[in-house]
């Protein structure tokens, strides 16, 4: 039996014997256990009206879960980037800066690239989103997963940084008196997509907090 298992077993026995948590914590600290280890061991058992300790859900981090959330973030960001790219290129066609046919050919090629990427990655994102949703329906306690929490916050950080950059871009063009209708349209598209990504992962983060 590992040290963590012995500690958890002792806490269970002490709670079952009727000892209060502060007394158990003091005894373990005097015995040389680290405070954080003691807190984690006590946190594995819930206070209830029963006369026996009730275990809390123990969320195990698996390679499959890490794969799903890494896949989710990657496909979502690729989809978002290509939606923004496609919007920018369409704006460049509607308000061309040059009548050069070569420039138009490059834009068309870039549009085709964005469309191809969306054809591949939108279904991929839909698949992994559904897989995670089904997993949470089958194992509701997985909403408290550390991997899920980190994935949500990393994605929200990236989306928030993009929104701040968009604001910087807007302020700079206004100060330089260079704000044009095409630029404004691109800023609106970038803000809308970034905001959608932020709200999507914020909803997932809210479920983690609610479950916790």
């Amino acid at each position: 039996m590992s040290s963590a298992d012995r500690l958890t077993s002792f806490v269970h026995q002490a709670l079952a014997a009727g000892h209060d948590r502060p007394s158990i914590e003091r005894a373990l600290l005097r015995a040389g256990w680290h405070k954080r280890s003691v807190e984690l061991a006590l946190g594995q058992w819930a206070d209830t009206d029963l006369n026996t300790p009730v275990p809390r859900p123990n969320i195990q981090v698996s390679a499959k879960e890490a794969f799903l959330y890494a896949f989710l973030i990657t496909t979502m960001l690729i989809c978002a980037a290509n939606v923004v790219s496609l919007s920018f290129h369409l704006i460049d066609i509607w308000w061309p800066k040059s009548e050069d046919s070569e420039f138009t050919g490059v834009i068309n090629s870039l549009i085709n690239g964005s469309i191809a990427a969306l054809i591949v990655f939108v279904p991929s994102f839909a698949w992994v989103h559904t897989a995670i949703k089904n997993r949470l329906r089958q194992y509701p306690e997985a909403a408290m997963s550390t991997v899920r929490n980190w994935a949500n916050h990393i994605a929200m950080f990236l989306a928030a940084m993009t929104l701040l950059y968009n604001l910087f871009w807007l302020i700079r063009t206004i100060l330089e008196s260079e704000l044009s209708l095409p630029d404004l349209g691109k800023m609106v598209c970038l803000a809308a997509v970034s905001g959608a990504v932020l709200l999507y992962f914020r909803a997932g983060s809210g479920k983690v907090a609610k479950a916790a």
Side-chain angles (χ1 to χ4, degrees), residues 62-212:
S62 66
K64 179 181 179 180
E65 183 183 30
F67 164 78
L68 287 175
Y69 282 104
F71 197 89
L72 178 74
I73 289 180
T74 303
T75 53
M76 163 67 94
L77 295 181
I78 291 176
C79 288
N82 280 279
V83 168
V84 171
S85 177
L86 180 61
S87 301
F88 281 17
H89 298 328
L90 290 175
I91 289 173
D92 286 336
I93 288 180
W94 294 333
W95 290 285
K97 295 181 180 179
S98 171
E99 298 297 335
D100 188 357
S101 59
E102 183 177 348
F103 173 79
T104 303
V106 171
I107 293 297
N108 289 335
S109 177
L110 293 173
I111 288 176
N112 291 336
S114 295
I115 292 174
L118 291 173
I119 290 173
V120 172
F121 287 100
V122 168
S124 300
F125 170 76
W127 169 79
V128 72
H129 170 83
T130 302
I132 291 174
K133 186 176 180 180
N134 291 337
R135 178 180 174 84
L136 292 175
R137 187 182 296 114
Q138 186 177 4
Y139 305 105
E141 65 275 10
M144 296 182 288
S145 165
T146 301
V147 171
R148 175 181 171 83
N149 194 27
W150 271 96
N152 286 332
H153 282 83
I154 288 173
M156 286 192 295
F157 170 78
L158 295 174
M161 290 300 101
T162 304
L163 285 170
L164 288 177
Y165 173 79
N166 197 42
L167 180 60
F168 155 77
W169 182 18
L170 174 62
I171 294 174
R172 179 179 176 180
T173 52
I174 291 175
L175 292 176
E176 294 179 353
S177 301
E178 294 181 354
L179 183 61
S180 63
L181 187 58
D183 287 338
L184 184 60
K186 291 178 179 180
M187 292 175 193
V188 170
C189 291
L190 182 58
V193 173
S194 301
V197 172
L198 181 62
L199 291 176
Y200 174 85
F201 286 101
R202 178 67 185 86
S205 178
K207 291 178 182 177
V208 171
K210 185 176 179 180

Side-chain angles (χ1 to χ4, degrees), residues 9-70:
S9 177
F10 172 81
V11 169
H12 174 265
Q13 295 174 18
L15 290 171
H19 297 290
D20 60 83
R21 290 173 180 265
S23 298
I24 296 171
E25 182 176 357
R26 286 195 298 270
L28 288 169
L29 292 176
R30 284 198 299 268
W33 287 94
H34 192 275
K35 183 176 178 63
R36 180 56 179 164
S37 298
V38 174
E39 291 174 347
L40 290 173
L42 287 168
Q44 293 188 35
W45 306 98
D47 290 324
T48 67
D49 295 333
L50 300 178
N51 293 325
T52 184
V54 177
R56 297 182 188 275
N58 186 17
I59 309 302
Q60 299 293 331
V61 176
S62 66
K64 179 181 179 180
E65 183 183 30
F67 164 78
L68 287 175
Y69 282 104

